[in-house]
Amino acid sequence: MLDPRMEQAINEQINREMWSGYIYLSMATWFDDLGLKGFSHWMRVQHKEEETHSLMMLGYVSEAGGRVLLAPIAAVDTEWSSPLAAFQEVLEHELKVSAWISELVDLALELKDHSTNAFLQWFVTEQVEEVSTAKGLVDTLKFVDGNPHSVLMLDRELGARAFTLPAPAAALGVL
Ligand SMILES: [Fe+2]
Ligand SMILES: [Fe+2]
């Protein structure tokens, strides 16, 4: 049985992961509007990843005997001053998510909840990758400095991103 504090904390993160996805979906529509289909595709994959994270947590809570309570998703921005500004927000957002995941791990350790701690370790590793990818794209966009030719080359590269279902998501049977 999940401790009520752990149950509530994961429920909050379920909401934040959906919210993260919503932010990236909003960025996808903004990139669509700019005609940058590759950037938009990258953001759609990002949206799907966040939705998957949320569904993995949802699956875990019910498997662990807890109750999932879905809350309203907060509003998101709808435009950014440049592709660089959008990716700077991605980086800041992912750093924030990493801190939230760390807080969940702290709580699991405090409660001696080893199964939740084990479940959360996948997210700890995932966040390192998320932050690193976002940082890499911020650096690239800074280097490109709005050069249209380079932005279009990057658009083609980002358009090739593929979504892969994480192994724990398949194991939890949530999709
Ligand atoms: Fe996530
Ligand atoms: Fe993320």
Side-chain angles (χ1 to χ4, degrees), residues 38-93:
F39 280 84
S40 173
H41 170 81
W42 191 94
M43 286 296 174
R44 278 166 207 276
V45 173
Q46 191 72 3
H47 161 253
K48 200 164 169 55
E49 276 198 8
E50 301 304 350
E51 187 186 57
T52 304
H53 297 163
S54 189
L55 291 174
M56 286 163 71
M57 290 179 183
L58 185 153
Y60 175 75
V61 169
S62 41
E63 198 167 82
R67 178 77 173 94
V68 175
L69 298 169
L70 297 181
I73 298 169
V76 295
D77 288 341
T78 51
E79 51 189 308
W80 292 266
S81 57
S82 65
L84 173 61
F87 274 91
Q88 269 164 337
E89 188 177 321
V90 174
L91 176 58
E92 278 163 31
H93 185 76

Short mmCIF file of all heavy atoms in Angstrom, two decimals, residues 38-93:
data_model
loop_
_atom_site.label_atom_id
_atom_site.label_comp_id
_atom_site.label_asym_id
_atom_site.label_seq_id
_atom_site.Cartn_x
_atom_site.Cartn_y
_atom_site.Cartn_z
N GLY A 38 10.26 20.41 -38.70
CA GLY A 38 11.15 19.53 -37.95
C GLY A 38 11.16 19.86 -36.47
O GLY A 38 11.10 18.97 -35.62
N PHE A 39 11.22 21.15 -36.16
CA PHE A 39 11.16 21.59 -34.76
C PHE A 39 9.83 21.16 -34.15
O PHE A 39 9.77 20.69 -33.01
CB PHE A 39 11.27 23.12 -34.66
CG PHE A 39 12.67 23.66 -34.77
CD1 PHE A 39 13.26 23.89 -36.00
CD2 PHE A 39 13.40 23.97 -33.63
CE1 PHE A 39 14.54 24.40 -36.10
CE2 PHE A 39 14.68 24.48 -33.71
CZ PHE A 39 15.26 24.70 -34.95
N SER A 40 8.76 21.34 -34.93
CA SER A 40 7.42 20.97 -34.46
C SER A 40 7.35 19.47 -34.19
O SER A 40 6.83 19.04 -33.15
CB SER A 40 6.38 21.38 -35.51
OG SER A 40 5.13 20.87 -35.13
N HIS A 41 7.91 18.69 -35.10
CA HIS A 41 7.93 17.23 -34.92
C HIS A 41 8.67 16.85 -33.64
O HIS A 41 8.21 16.02 -32.86
CB HIS A 41 8.57 16.56 -36.13
CG HIS A 41 8.83 15.10 -35.93
ND1 HIS A 41 7.85 14.14 -36.08
CD2 HIS A 41 9.94 14.43 -35.53
CE1 HIS A 41 8.36 12.95 -35.80
NE2 HIS A 41 9.63 13.10 -35.47
N TRP A 42 9.81 17.49 -33.43
CA TRP A 42 10.61 17.21 -32.22
C TRP A 42 9.78 17.48 -30.97
O TRP A 42 9.78 16.70 -30.02
CB TRP A 42 11.87 18.09 -32.23
CG TRP A 42 12.89 17.72 -31.20
CD1 TRP A 42 13.97 16.89 -31.37
CD2 TRP A 42 12.94 18.15 -29.82
NE1 TRP A 42 14.67 16.79 -30.20
CE2 TRP A 42 14.07 17.54 -29.22
CE3 TRP A 42 12.14 18.98 -29.04
CZ2 TRP A 42 14.42 17.74 -27.90
CZ3 TRP A 42 12.49 19.18 -27.71
CH2 TRP A 42 13.62 18.57 -27.15
N MET A 43 9.04 18.59 -30.98
CA MET A 43 8.20 18.95 -29.83
C MET A 43 7.04 17.97 -29.65
O MET A 43 6.62 17.69 -28.52
CB MET A 43 7.65 20.37 -29.99
CG MET A 43 8.68 21.45 -29.77
SD MET A 43 9.29 21.45 -28.06
CE MET A 43 10.58 22.69 -28.18
N ARG A 44 6.52 17.46 -30.76
CA ARG A 44 5.43 16.46 -30.65
C ARG A 44 5.94 15.17 -30.02
O ARG A 44 5.24 14.53 -29.23
CB ARG A 44 4.83 16.17 -32.03
CG ARG A 44 3.82 17.18 -32.46
CD ARG A 44 3.49 17.06 -33.94
NE ARG A 44 3.06 18.35 -34.45
CZ ARG A 44 1.82 18.81 -34.34
NH1 ARG A 44 0.90 18.07 -33.81
NH2 ARG A 44 1.52 20.02 -34.79
N VAL A 45 7.15 14.77 -30.40
CA VAL A 45 7.75 13.58 -29.79
C VAL A 45 7.96 13.85 -28.29
O VAL A 45 7.68 12.99 -27.44
CB VAL A 45 9.09 13.21 -30.48
CG1 VAL A 45 9.79 12.07 -29.73
CG2 VAL A 45 8.84 12.80 -31.94
N GLN A 46 8.41 15.05 -27.98
CA GLN A 46 8.62 15.45 -26.58
C GLN A 46 7.30 15.39 -25.81
O GLN A 46 7.24 14.91 -24.68
CB GLN A 46 9.22 16.87 -26.56
CG GLN A 46 9.74 17.31 -25.23
CD GLN A 46 11.04 16.62 -24.79
OE1 GLN A 46 11.60 15.82 -25.54
NE2 GLN A 46 11.48 16.92 -23.60
N HIS A 47 6.24 15.88 -26.44
CA HIS A 47 4.90 15.82 -25.83
C HIS A 47 4.51 14.38 -25.53
O HIS A 47 4.04 14.06 -24.44
CB HIS A 47 3.88 16.47 -26.78
CG HIS A 47 2.46 16.08 -26.50
ND1 HIS A 47 1.75 15.22 -27.29
CD2 HIS A 47 1.63 16.40 -25.47
CE1 HIS A 47 0.55 15.04 -26.77
NE2 HIS A 47 0.44 15.74 -25.68
N LYS A 48 4.75 13.50 -26.49
CA LYS A 48 4.39 12.10 -26.32
C LYS A 48 5.20 11.46 -25.19
O LYS A 48 4.68 10.65 -24.43
CB LYS A 48 4.61 11.35 -27.64
CG LYS A 48 3.85 10.04 -27.73
CD LYS A 48 3.78 9.54 -29.16
CE LYS A 48 3.26 8.11 -29.23
NZ LYS A 48 1.97 7.92 -28.58
N GLU A 49 6.46 11.84 -25.10
CA GLU A 49 7.30 11.32 -24.01
C GLU A 49 6.74 11.73 -22.65
O GLU A 49 6.67 10.91 -21.74
CB GLU A 49 8.73 11.87 -24.14
CG GLU A 49 9.59 11.07 -25.09
CD GLU A 49 11.08 11.33 -24.87
OE1 GLU A 49 11.45 12.02 -23.89
OE2 GLU A 49 11.86 10.85 -25.70
N GLU A 50 6.36 13.00 -22.54
CA GLU A 50 5.85 13.48 -21.24
C GLU A 50 4.54 12.81 -20.89
O GLU A 50 4.31 12.44 -19.73
CB GLU A 50 5.68 15.01 -21.27
CG GLU A 50 6.94 15.80 -21.56
CD GLU A 50 8.10 15.52 -20.61
OE1 GLU A 50 7.90 14.84 -19.59
OE2 GLU A 50 9.22 15.95 -20.91
N GLU A 51 3.69 12.63 -21.90
CA GLU A 51 2.42 11.94 -21.67
C GLU A 51 2.70 10.51 -21.19
O GLU A 51 2.04 10.01 -20.28
CB GLU A 51 1.63 11.92 -22.98
CG GLU A 51 0.23 11.40 -22.83
CD GLU A 51 -0.45 11.26 -24.17
OE1 GLU A 51 0.08 10.56 -25.06
OE2 GLU A 51 -1.51 11.86 -24.35
N THR A 52 3.70 9.89 -21.80
CA THR A 52 4.09 8.53 -21.40
C THR A 52 4.59 8.51 -19.96
O THR A 52 4.24 7.61 -19.19
CB THR A 52 5.18 7.99 -22.35
OG1 THR A 52 4.69 8.05 -23.68
CG2 THR A 52 5.56 6.56 -22.03
N HIS A 53 5.40 9.52 -19.58
CA HIS A 53 5.88 9.59 -18.19
C HIS A 53 4.68 9.64 -17.23
O HIS A 53 4.65 8.97 -16.20
CB HIS A 53 6.76 10.83 -17.96
CG HIS A 53 8.01 10.83 -18.78
ND1 HIS A 53 8.75 11.97 -19.00
CD2 HIS A 53 8.64 9.82 -19.44
CE1 HIS A 53 9.80 11.65 -19.75
NE2 HIS A 53 9.75 10.37 -20.04
N SER A 54 3.72 10.48 -17.59
CA SER A 54 2.53 10.62 -16.75
C SER A 54 1.79 9.29 -16.64
O SER A 54 1.40 8.87 -15.55
CB SER A 54 1.62 11.69 -17.36
OG SER A 54 0.57 11.98 -16.47
N LEU A 55 1.64 8.60 -17.78
CA LEU A 55 0.92 7.32 -17.78
C LEU A 55 1.68 6.23 -17.02
O LEU A 55 1.07 5.36 -16.40
CB LEU A 55 0.65 6.87 -19.22
CG LEU A 55 -0.36 7.72 -20.00
CD1 LEU A 55 -0.43 7.28 -21.46
CD2 LEU A 55 -1.74 7.65 -19.36
N MET A 56 3.03 6.32 -17.06
CA MET A 56 3.82 5.35 -16.28
C MET A 56 3.57 5.54 -14.79
O MET A 56 3.40 4.57 -14.04
CB MET A 56 5.32 5.54 -16.59
CG MET A 56 5.72 5.01 -17.96
SD MET A 56 7.33 5.67 -18.51
CE MET A 56 8.44 4.83 -17.39
N MET A 57 3.53 6.81 -14.35
CA MET A 57 3.31 7.09 -12.93
C MET A 57 1.89 6.70 -12.53
O MET A 57 1.66 6.14 -11.46
CB MET A 57 3.55 8.57 -12.65
CG MET A 57 5.02 8.92 -12.77
SD MET A 57 5.30 10.67 -12.47
CE MET A 57 7.07 10.74 -12.78
N LEU A 58 0.97 6.99 -13.43
CA LEU A 58 -0.44 6.61 -13.20
C LEU A 58 -0.55 5.09 -13.04
O LEU A 58 -1.20 4.59 -12.11
CB LEU A 58 -1.24 7.12 -14.40
CG LEU A 58 -2.74 7.02 -14.47
CD1 LEU A 58 -3.28 8.14 -15.36
CD2 LEU A 58 -3.17 5.70 -15.05
N GLY A 59 0.12 4.36 -13.93
CA GLY A 59 0.11 2.89 -13.87
C GLY A 59 0.73 2.39 -12.57
O GLY A 59 0.23 1.45 -11.96
N TYR A 60 1.83 3.05 -12.17
CA TYR A 60 2.50 2.63 -10.93
C TYR A 60 1.62 2.83 -9.71
O TYR A 60 1.50 1.94 -8.86
CB TYR A 60 3.83 3.37 -10.75
CG TYR A 60 4.47 3.03 -9.43
CD1 TYR A 60 5.11 1.80 -9.26
CD2 TYR A 60 4.38 3.90 -8.34
CE1 TYR A 60 5.65 1.45 -8.02
CE2 TYR A 60 4.92 3.55 -7.11
CZ TYR A 60 5.56 2.33 -6.96
OH TYR A 60 6.09 1.99 -5.74
N VAL A 61 0.98 3.99 -9.63
CA VAL A 61 0.13 4.29 -8.47
C VAL A 61 -0.97 3.24 -8.34
O VAL A 61 -1.19 2.69 -7.25
CB VAL A 61 -0.48 5.72 -8.54
CG1 VAL A 61 -1.56 5.91 -7.48
CG2 VAL A 61 0.61 6.77 -8.36
N SER A 62 -1.63 2.91 -9.45
CA SER A 62 -2.70 1.93 -9.29
C SER A 62 -2.15 0.54 -9.01
O SER A 62 -2.73 -0.21 -8.23
CB SER A 62 -3.71 1.94 -10.45
OG SER A 62 -3.09 2.08 -11.65
N GLU A 63 -1.00 0.21 -9.61
CA GLU A 63 -0.40 -1.10 -9.33
C GLU A 63 0.01 -1.22 -7.86
O GLU A 63 -0.07 -2.30 -7.27
CB GLU A 63 0.81 -1.32 -10.24
CG GLU A 63 1.21 -2.78 -10.33
CD GLU A 63 2.20 -3.04 -11.45
OE1 GLU A 63 3.40 -2.81 -11.24
OE2 GLU A 63 1.77 -3.44 -12.54
N ALA A 64 0.44 -0.08 -7.29
CA ALA A 64 0.88 -0.09 -5.88
C ALA A 64 -0.29 0.06 -4.92
O ALA A 64 -0.09 0.25 -3.71
CB ALA A 64 1.91 1.00 -5.66
N GLY A 65 -1.50 0.02 -5.44
CA GLY A 65 -2.68 0.06 -4.58
C GLY A 65 -3.15 1.45 -4.19
O GLY A 65 -3.94 1.60 -3.28
N GLY A 66 -2.62 2.47 -4.89
CA GLY A 66 -3.03 3.85 -4.61
C GLY A 66 -4.17 4.28 -5.51
O GLY A 66 -4.65 3.51 -6.36
N ARG A 67 -4.60 5.52 -5.32
CA ARG A 67 -5.70 6.06 -6.12
C ARG A 67 -5.16 7.22 -6.94
O ARG A 67 -4.51 8.14 -6.42
CB ARG A 67 -6.82 6.54 -5.18
CG ARG A 67 -8.00 7.19 -5.87
CD ARG A 67 -8.92 6.13 -6.51
NE ARG A 67 -10.14 6.79 -7.01
CZ ARG A 67 -10.28 7.22 -8.27
NH1 ARG A 67 -9.30 7.08 -9.14
NH2 ARG A 67 -11.41 7.79 -8.64
N VAL A 68 -5.46 7.19 -8.25
CA VAL A 68 -5.05 8.29 -9.13
C VAL A 68 -6.17 9.31 -9.18
O VAL A 68 -7.33 8.96 -9.43
CB VAL A 68 -4.77 7.76 -10.57
CG1 VAL A 68 -4.46 8.91 -11.51
CG2 VAL A 68 -3.63 6.76 -10.57
N LEU A 69 -5.82 10.57 -8.92
CA LEU A 69 -6.81 11.64 -9.02
C LEU A 69 -6.29 12.69 -9.98
O LEU A 69 -5.29 13.37 -9.71
CB LEU A 69 -7.05 12.27 -7.63
CG LEU A 69 -7.61 11.32 -6.57
CD1 LEU A 69 -7.54 11.96 -5.18
CD2 LEU A 69 -9.05 10.91 -6.89
N LEU A 70 -6.93 12.79 -11.14
CA LEU A 70 -6.46 13.74 -12.16
C LEU A 70 -6.96 15.14 -11.86
O LEU A 70 -8.15 15.34 -11.61
CB LEU A 70 -6.90 13.29 -13.55
CG LEU A 70 -6.33 11.94 -14.02
CD1 LEU A 70 -6.83 11.62 -15.43
CD2 LEU A 70 -4.81 11.93 -13.97
N ALA A 71 -6.04 16.09 -11.89
CA ALA A 71 -6.37 17.49 -11.59
C ALA A 71 -6.27 18.34 -12.87
O ALA A 71 -5.68 17.89 -13.85
CB ALA A 71 -5.39 18.00 -10.53
N PRO A 72 -6.84 19.55 -12.86
CA PRO A 72 -6.76 20.40 -14.05
C PRO A 72 -5.30 20.70 -14.42
O PRO A 72 -4.44 20.79 -13.54
CB PRO A 72 -7.46 21.70 -13.62
CG PRO A 72 -8.28 21.34 -12.44
CD PRO A 72 -7.58 20.20 -11.77
N ILE A 73 -5.08 20.84 -15.71
CA ILE A 73 -3.73 21.14 -16.20
C ILE A 73 -3.59 22.66 -16.33
O ILE A 73 -4.46 23.32 -16.91
CB ILE A 73 -3.46 20.44 -17.54
CG1 ILE A 73 -3.55 18.92 -17.36
CG2 ILE A 73 -2.10 20.84 -18.11
CD1 ILE A 73 -3.58 18.14 -18.64
N ALA A 74 -2.51 23.20 -15.76
CA ALA A 74 -2.29 24.65 -15.77
C ALA A 74 -2.11 25.18 -17.20
O ALA A 74 -1.70 24.44 -18.10
CB ALA A 74 -1.06 24.99 -14.93
N ALA A 75 -2.42 26.46 -17.37
CA ALA A 75 -2.27 27.10 -18.69
C ALA A 75 -0.80 27.16 -19.09
O ALA A 75 0.09 27.10 -18.24
CB ALA A 75 -2.85 28.51 -18.63
N VAL A 76 -0.56 27.24 -20.38
CA VAL A 76 0.82 27.30 -20.89
C VAL A 76 0.98 28.50 -21.82
O VAL A 76 -0.01 29.02 -22.35
CB VAL A 76 1.20 26.00 -21.64
CG1 VAL A 76 1.21 24.82 -20.69
CG2 VAL A 76 0.27 25.74 -22.82
N ASP A 77 2.23 28.92 -22.03
CA ASP A 77 2.49 29.99 -22.99
C ASP A 77 2.13 29.53 -24.40
O ASP A 77 2.10 28.33 -24.67
CB ASP A 77 3.98 30.38 -22.96
CG ASP A 77 4.34 31.14 -21.69
OD1 ASP A 77 3.41 31.67 -21.04
OD2 ASP A 77 5.53 31.19 -21.36
N THR A 78 1.89 30.49 -25.28
CA THR A 78 1.53 30.12 -26.66
C THR A 78 2.50 30.70 -27.68
O THR A 78 2.41 30.37 -28.87
CB THR A 78 0.10 30.60 -26.99
OG1 THR A 78 0.02 31.99 -26.65
CG2 THR A 78 -0.94 29.83 -26.21
N GLU A 79 3.38 31.58 -27.25
CA GLU A 79 4.41 32.03 -28.19
C GLU A 79 5.71 32.40 -27.51
O GLU A 79 5.73 32.69 -26.31
CB GLU A 79 3.91 33.17 -29.08
CG GLU A 79 3.28 34.34 -28.37
CD GLU A 79 2.63 35.27 -29.41
OE1 GLU A 79 3.30 35.65 -30.37
OE2 GLU A 79 1.45 35.59 -29.22
N TRP A 80 6.78 32.37 -28.29
CA TRP A 80 8.12 32.62 -27.79
C TRP A 80 8.80 33.59 -28.75
O TRP A 80 8.39 33.73 -29.91
CB TRP A 80 8.88 31.28 -27.70
CG TRP A 80 8.29 30.43 -26.63
CD1 TRP A 80 8.71 30.35 -25.34
CD2 TRP A 80 7.12 29.59 -26.71
NE1 TRP A 80 7.88 29.52 -24.61
CE2 TRP A 80 6.90 29.04 -25.43
CE3 TRP A 80 6.22 29.25 -27.74
CZ2 TRP A 80 5.84 28.18 -25.15
CZ3 TRP A 80 5.17 28.40 -27.47
CH2 TRP A 80 4.98 27.87 -26.19
N SER A 81 9.84 34.28 -28.24
CA SER A 81 10.44 35.32 -29.08
C SER A 81 11.36 34.75 -30.17
O SER A 81 11.62 35.42 -31.17
CB SER A 81 11.22 36.31 -28.20
OG SER A 81 12.18 35.62 -27.44
N SER A 82 11.81 33.52 -29.98
CA SER A 82 12.70 32.88 -30.97
C SER A 82 12.79 31.39 -30.67
O SER A 82 12.46 30.98 -29.54
CB SER A 82 14.10 33.49 -30.89
OG SER A 82 14.67 33.17 -29.63
N PRO A 83 13.26 30.58 -31.63
CA PRO A 83 13.48 29.16 -31.33
C PRO A 83 14.43 28.99 -30.13
O PRO A 83 14.19 28.15 -29.27
CB PRO A 83 14.12 28.62 -32.62
CG PRO A 83 13.52 29.47 -33.70
CD PRO A 83 13.45 30.85 -33.09
N LEU A 84 15.45 29.85 -30.04
CA LEU A 84 16.37 29.76 -28.90
C LEU A 84 15.62 29.99 -27.58
O LEU A 84 15.82 29.25 -26.62
CB LEU A 84 17.51 30.78 -29.06
CG LEU A 84 18.45 30.92 -27.86
CD1 LEU A 84 19.16 29.61 -27.54
CD2 LEU A 84 19.50 32.03 -28.11
N ALA A 85 14.74 30.99 -27.56
CA ALA A 85 13.97 31.29 -26.34
C ALA A 85 13.11 30.09 -25.95
O ALA A 85 12.99 29.74 -24.76
CB ALA A 85 13.11 32.53 -26.54
N ALA A 86 12.52 29.42 -26.94
CA ALA A 86 11.70 28.24 -26.66
C ALA A 86 12.56 27.14 -26.03
O ALA A 86 12.18 26.54 -25.02
CB ALA A 86 11.02 27.74 -27.94
N PHE A 87 13.73 26.90 -26.61
CA PHE A 87 14.58 25.82 -26.08
C PHE A 87 15.21 26.19 -24.74
O PHE A 87 15.50 25.31 -23.93
CB PHE A 87 15.62 25.37 -27.12
CG PHE A 87 15.03 24.33 -28.04
CD1 PHE A 87 14.41 24.70 -29.22
CD2 PHE A 87 15.04 23.00 -27.68
CE1 PHE A 87 13.82 23.75 -30.05
CE2 PHE A 87 14.46 22.03 -28.49
CZ PHE A 87 13.84 22.41 -29.68
N GLN A 88 15.41 27.49 -24.50
CA GLN A 88 15.87 27.90 -23.17
C GLN A 88 14.80 27.56 -22.14
O GLN A 88 15.11 27.15 -21.03
CB GLN A 88 16.21 29.39 -23.16
CG GLN A 88 17.68 29.61 -23.51
CD GLN A 88 18.02 31.03 -23.88
OE1 GLN A 88 17.16 31.80 -24.30
NE2 GLN A 88 19.29 31.37 -23.76
N GLU A 89 13.53 27.74 -22.54
CA GLU A 89 12.44 27.38 -21.63
C GLU A 89 12.39 25.87 -21.41
O GLU A 89 12.12 25.41 -20.31
CB GLU A 89 11.09 27.90 -22.16
CG GLU A 89 10.00 27.70 -21.12
CD GLU A 89 8.64 28.24 -21.53
OE1 GLU A 89 8.58 29.31 -22.16
OE2 GLU A 89 7.64 27.56 -21.22
N VAL A 90 12.65 25.10 -22.49
CA VAL A 90 12.69 23.64 -22.34
C VAL A 90 13.75 23.26 -21.30
O VAL A 90 13.48 22.48 -20.38
CB VAL A 90 13.01 22.94 -23.69
CG1 VAL A 90 13.20 21.43 -23.49
CG2 VAL A 90 11.92 23.20 -24.73
N LEU A 91 14.92 23.86 -21.43
CA LEU A 91 16.02 23.55 -20.50
C LEU A 91 15.64 23.90 -19.06
O LEU A 91 15.79 23.09 -18.14
CB LEU A 91 17.30 24.28 -20.93
CG LEU A 91 18.51 24.14 -19.99
CD1 LEU A 91 18.89 22.67 -19.79
CD2 LEU A 91 19.71 24.92 -20.53
N GLU A 92 15.13 25.12 -18.87
CA GLU A 92 14.73 25.54 -17.51
C GLU A 92 13.65 24.62 -16.96
O GLU A 92 13.67 24.24 -15.78
CB GLU A 92 14.19 26.97 -17.53
CG GLU A 92 15.30 28.02 -17.51
CD GLU A 92 14.81 29.39 -17.95
OE1 GLU A 92 13.62 29.69 -17.71
OE2 GLU A 92 15.61 30.14 -18.56
N HIS A 93 12.70 24.26 -17.83
CA HIS A 93 11.61 23.38 -17.39
C HIS A 93 12.14 22.01 -16.99
O HIS A 93 11.74 21.47 -15.95
CB HIS A 93 10.56 23.26 -18.50
CG HIS A 93 9.36 22.49 -18.06
ND1 HIS A 93 8.40 23.02 -17.23
CD2 HIS A 93 8.99 21.20 -18.27
CE1 HIS A 93 7.50 22.11 -16.96
NE2 HIS A 93 7.83 20.99 -17.58
#
